Amino acid sequence: MELRRRFIFRGNASAFGGRIVRPDDVVLEMPGASSLGVAGGRSVARIPRTQFKNFVSFESASTLAEGTFDDRQGAIELSHHKIREDALRTSTRVRAEIRTLVVGSRKRLKVGHAAVELRSKSPGGSGEPSIVLADATLESVTVDDRKLKITFERGIFERYDTHAKLLTAADDPDFVKTHGSHLFLTTDFEGRPAPATGRLVPGCDTIYATLVRKIEWDGAASPDASIEGHTVVVKDFGRIFFGELLITSASRRVTMIRLELGSDEGGSAGGPDVDINGSWS
């Protein structure tokens, strides 16, 4: 048996998902999503208007996952066993979006358009793939019909496109001062105050981060909601997380909206959500 070094593609995209557990048990069973097999290719889903009882609805959604060798001629030579697979470079792309999302029996959260896209290149000598944020869109977000303005920071997640680059940047006082909030370097957590130099918040080698630079009300604030960092807490609804990012040495995952519902309805939901990596095996 002959074993050759080969590239293992991975890319996943989900427009929305989750489960409402009360007052009714409703699994948000999406009729489509996108996922790559180990050999790459393209996976596309286009989802029409969907409604889950009176808890969640949206007008349309779509997902894409695509993984290919960059050089077709090189891939032809590979098919003739003239070159090794690790002589080639690969590109992977994942994208998910949803339009006119409404959540809650009282329709308290509405999102006109949400989209996210990640792109990656196969690892070089470092073994870490380059992964950049190609799109992060949230438009027409309202809570109780009061508008929210959400500003994202995309630049640092394009410049620092590997786990190693972020770790190196975290030792730079200027980076901590300017961008530390996105990696929670200077955020005090219960029982874990941040040191003066800042510190990352890893869990199982995964760095927790956020794309959110600022959340503010665009006009009058909702009297039943408060902004806390990259989240909005809504009375008798729950907590809404925006722009969450999970980073490892081999992958990145972005969730544009995540819901922890805990009053009128109970359960959890979220999306659009994309996950990407790629590694040699």
Side-chain angles (χ1 to χ4, degrees), residues 167-220:
L167 289 180
T168 300
D171 285 332
D172 181 350
D174 290 336
F175 176 88
V176 173
K177 182 178 179 181
T178 305
H179 301 300
S181 61
H182 294 286
L183 300 172
F184 303 101
L185 285 163
T186 55
T187 302
D188 292 338
F189 292 95
E190 186 176 352
R192 292 187 63 187
T197 56
R199 52 86 183 91
L200 291 170
V201 186
C204 299
D205 298 322
T206 299
I207 297 173
Y208 182 59
T210 180
L211 305 177
V212 174
R213 182 192 303 161
K214 188 177 183 180
I215 301 177
E216 56 191 327
W217 296 104
D218 186 2

Side-chain angles (χ1 to χ4, degrees), residues 38-137:
V38 295
R42 184 182 297 125
S43 176
V44 178
R46 296 179 179 87
I47 305 166
R49 174 175 170 75
T50 301
Q51 183 159 344
F52 300 100
K53 289 194 173 181
N54 64 331
F55 301 120
V56 177
S57 68
F58 58 86
E59 288 299 317
S60 65
S62 63
T63 60
L64 166 73
E66 182 178 53
T68 61
F69 288 102
D70 294 345
D71 179 3
R72 179 173 177 268
Q73 185 58 45
I76 292 173
E77 293 182 10
L78 175 64
S79 73
H80 290 296
H81 306 288
K82 293 181 179 180
I83 61 173
R84 291 159 47 108
E85 187 164 317
D86 58 8
L88 301 176
R89 296 294 303 276
T90 70
S91 295
T92 306
R93 175 189 174 209
V94 288
R95 180 178 178 83
E97 61 183 310
I98 193 167
R99 294 183 182 275
T100 318
L101 173 68
V102 180
V103 180
S105 58
R106 291 193 282 160
K107 299 177 172 51
R108 301 189 67 185
L109 172 65
K110 299 176 184 177
V111 181
H113 180 216
V116 61
E117 181 175 324
L118 289 173
R119 297 185 182 188
S120 73
K121 292 287 188 180
S122 54
S126 71
E128 293 193 2
S130 165
I131 304 175
V132 298
L133 181 69
D135 188 17
T137 299

